[in-house]
Amino acid sequence: MRVIGISAYYHDSAAALVEDGRIVAAAQEERFTRRRHDAAFPTEALRYLARDCGAPLSGVDHVVFYEKPFVKFERLIETYLAFAPRGFNSFRAAMPSWLKEKLFLKGILRRELAAVDPSFDADRLLFGEHHLSHAASAFYPSPFDSAAILTLDGVGEWATGSLAVGRGTDLAILREMRFPHSLGLLYSAFTYHAGFKVNSGEYKLMGLAPYGEPRFASRILEDLVDLKDDGSFRLNLDYFDYCTGLTMTNERFDRWVGAAARSPESRLEQLQMDLAASVQQVTEEIVLRLARSALRETGEQNLCLAGGVALNCVANGRVLREAGVKGLWIQPAAGDAGGALGAALAASHLALGVPRAKSTGPDAMQGSYLGPRYGDDEIEAELRAAGAQLDRLDEDAMIARVAAALAAGEAVGWFQGRMEFGPRALGARSILGDPRSPQMQKLLNLKVKFRESFRPFAPAVLREDVADWFELDADSPYMLLVAGVRGDKRRAMNDADGALWGIERLNVVRSAIPAVTHVDYSARVQTVHAETNPLFHRLLLEFKRLTGVGVLVNTSFNVRGEPIVCTPTDAFACFMGTDLDMLAAGGCVMQKAAQSAPARRYEAQFALD
């Protein structure tokens, strides 16, 4: 039984293939089109499934869309009626899109599917539900036979969050939180007011939070959020504009803050840092209460998470430490891209009765390495066509050369194996650096990623060494848990360091691995496992042999505004347009100093996030 799931038309469209309950492949459309967060129908992702996985649309049993668009339209209409006449401008802006496209999405999907494969039988198209898709993406790939499932995001059809329970192949939604009361939209409102892009800049707000003081947190709970003991809440909609307007917040919110929304790309002030710290603290409290009540209500000891809020790795770390869970598993593609996978899984197990496949690793996601793979001959041909000067090495020699370059302080583009599914680079399409370097964070942010200097980088650490470096002794393969750096690896701040405030604290050396230690001594940890990524594990082992440190800086192989690289050509273009020193693509190794191809410039090429 072969089922393809698709998500599209909001953000992060994707396609995923499930065969007899086993996850075969999944990829976001943005990686192929090079348009970040591409919401278009996932034509190229579907062509990848046909080309690389032998799964043309005409050769699968069903294609499943991840939500029900007519129910979403019903929510839009009812919301405008409830707030009329306030929302007329927003209503007028939204209606043309709905009336021309989204209301008749079934017909549009059939046409798009036929354009990809004219032999596709349109009667094989099914529709899932948004939060059921999220819940399925969290539970079925998890290592648990039974678990409570918590999904939290902006909004699906009506639901903004759900509690479900999964047992075997069964999965049932027990209750939902409903629009307009949404934790995802609350966080996005603060993201918008801080001058970052909604559905993209939430990562920035989370990274900015440790620079601030949560001096607005109590006021948020007094004025904006009515939070109950079980984690349920209602928002005071007098401060928000997303129901009826074209912005997330309104003038009353500005007065509450004491300032208008920050202009994008303008100077960050302490105010934005304090607002970030405040909404982050409130978010963590809500997620903790919801997690505890989920376990209590279901009687389960294990918890699975999905939805965009599940990408808040600081909150996840607190759930692991404080919610009383026995096991915690988070879908690495927790946002709408993962909804495509969940739709295929829900259809397979719930509608078609397919048994859950046995996992060969720690879970069923195969490390989330579910995208395209390129062989060494193909890599070399593409690189030489792009003008690359390269050495082709065997695996041992390649590992040795890259590890030596990293130990010498070089920044390395690492393009190996199957591309990751989800927003995190996990050692297949990564930029790597030496975590011991006090300059590495600033170098990578400003000269490679072309992004704000405050943004932290994640450590990739040998799974067997994680407890030696961090206050964590658990699997974190998907970079979705934040933990503290161990006390014996920290550097105490002197009086001068302690007197610094806000962004001034950025360049203080806090630990033996300063490039991955955030200002609050935390780190977003990725544990690297020999079972799921043996090559990356080998690189870490060799770096440890040279330096005594089994940790590397790991960030996504792209620049700001660009999707993570997909092809060898993408990788070489990014290499040439940045201050990366080395590129290792398969067995092909390139030094920047040896290249004669013209550098690609990134200024104004991609929309800023």
Side-chain angles (χ1 to χ4, degrees), residues 182-441:
S182 165
L183 183 56
L185 292 176
L186 172 69
Y187 206 87
S188 291
F190 278 78
T191 299
Y192 165 82
H193 199 274
F196 303 133
K197 191 173 181 179
V198 172
N199 292 327
S200 175
E202 285 80 3
Y203 300 123
K204 297 185 184 184
L205 199 72
M206 184 176 62
L208 189 63
Y211 293 97
E213 297 295 327
R215 60 187 175 94
F216 292 91
S218 61
R219 289 182 57 206
I220 292 173
L221 293 173
E222 290 169 4
D223 300 333
L224 306 187
V225 181
D226 180 14
L227 176 61
K228 306 302 183 184
D229 289 342
D230 65 356
S232 61
F233 62 90
R234 292 181 67 83
L235 300 183
N236 185 343
L237 299 175
D238 291 339
Y239 292 89
F240 303 99
D241 208 28
Y242 56 78
C243 289
T244 61
L246 301 175
T247 60
M248 295 298 297
T249 57
N250 57 24
E251 291 182 359
R252 185 169 181 178
F253 189 95
D254 293 347
R255 292 194 296 271
W256 182 85
V257 169
R262 168 181 167 262
S263 298
E265 307 304 313
S266 64
R267 178 183 172 86
L268 281 165
E269 305 292 346
Q270 192 64 44
L271 174 64
Q272 285 83 40
M273 301 174 206
D274 292 347
L275 287 168
S278 301
V279 75
Q280 178 63 34
Q281 184 178 97
V282 170
T283 297
E284 292 169 25
E285 182 61 29
I286 293 173
V287 172
L288 265 176
R289 292 190 191 188
L290 288 170
R292 288 169 178 152
S293 64
L295 299 176
R296 187 167 56 247
E297 185 171 336
T298 62
E300 295 291 339
Q301 295 180 299
N302 300 315
L303 180 66
C304 300
L305 300 177
V309 176
L311 295 171
N312 192 307
C313 48
V314 182
N316 297 341
R318 290 196 62 190
V319 168
L320 180 66
R321 295 189 299 272
E322 302 175 39
V325 297
K326 179 181 178 182
L328 176 66
W329 196 86
I330 307 156
Q331 167 54 239
D336 277 10
L341 176 60
L345 289 167
S348 296
H349 299 305
L350 293 177
L352 303 174
V354 176
R356 289 175 73 180
K358 291 188 179 297
S359 300
T360 57
D363 57 44
M365 284 296 292
Q366 303 170 51
S368 211
Y369 305 110
L370 298 170
R373 175 198 302 273
Y374 296 84
D376 276 2
D377 289 345
E378 191 174 9
I379 290 171
E380 182 177 1
E382 281 202 27
L383 291 173
R384 292 201 182 280
Q389 305 298 312
L390 60 88
D391 295 322
R392 184 160 167 178
L393 308 175
D394 63 30
E395 188 173 290
D396 290 344
M398 185 273 292
I399 291 280
R401 186 178 292 187
V402 172
L406 290 165
E410 294 189 13
V412 177
W414 178 255
F415 181 99
Q416 305 290 339
R418 294 185 72 178
M419 183 178 66
E420 302 91 338
F421 179 54
R424 313 293 196 208
L426 301 169
R429 305 289 185 272
S430 291
I431 291 172
L432 307 176
D434 186 346
R436 303 169 303 162
S437 167
Q439 292 80 37
M440 188 58 64
Q441 180 192 8

